[in-house]
Amino acid sequence: MAKKIPKERKIDMYKAILELKDLDECCNFFEDVCAVTELRSMEQRFEVAKMLKQDKVYTEIMQKTNASSATISRVNRMLNYGTGCLGEIIDRMPGDEEE
């Protein structure tokens, strides 16, 4: 069951994301909205989440993503105690080849 979005949160940005037409437009949108460091952090956390879902160990994740153990732990908590959406989205994605 989806959580209600707090009324104080502005949902226009999320509605805009749903309007993105393709991967290029999505990349361009986030490059315009986010600072480079914010984008790299989100990309890193997503990569960490994918590796955790593949049951990779922290040391391997740290080596391949340059993420700190604190970041990996934070992402692990999101996967285990968050809304569940991140894990569901990762599960929906076609399998990636091992890098």
Side-chain angles (χ1 to χ4, degrees), residues 42-57:
M42 288 190 295
E43 292 165 351
Q44 182 186 60
R45 288 192 299 269
F46 189 76
E47 189 65 26
V48 166
K50 285 180 11 181
M51 293 181 78
L52 285 168
K53 293 280 290 174
Q54 296 169 353
D55 295 322
K56 304 290 184 190
V57 295

Side-chain angles (χ1 to χ4, degrees), residues 23-80:
L23 183 59
D24 284 337
E25 190 171 64
C26 185
C27 291
N28 290 337
F29 177 85
F30 280 97
E31 285 177 17
D32 286 348
V33 171
C34 298
V36 172
T37 54
E38 293 169 324
L39 230 112
R40 296 305 162 254
S41 292
M42 288 190 295
E43 292 165 351
Q44 182 186 60
R45 288 192 299 269
F46 189 76
E47 189 65 26
V48 166
K50 285 180 11 181
M51 293 181 78
L52 285 168
K53 293 280 290 174
Q54 296 169 353
D55 295 322
K56 304 290 184 190
V57 295
Y58 275 38
T59 53
E60 182 179 357
I61 296 170
M62 288 170 68
Q63 184 180 29
K64 289 192 175 182
T65 66
N66 291 320
S68 68
S69 59
T71 295
I72 298 167
S73 180
R74 194 173 312 118
V75 172
N76 195 42
R77 276 194 309 277
M78 287 187 311
L79 285 171
N80 291 311

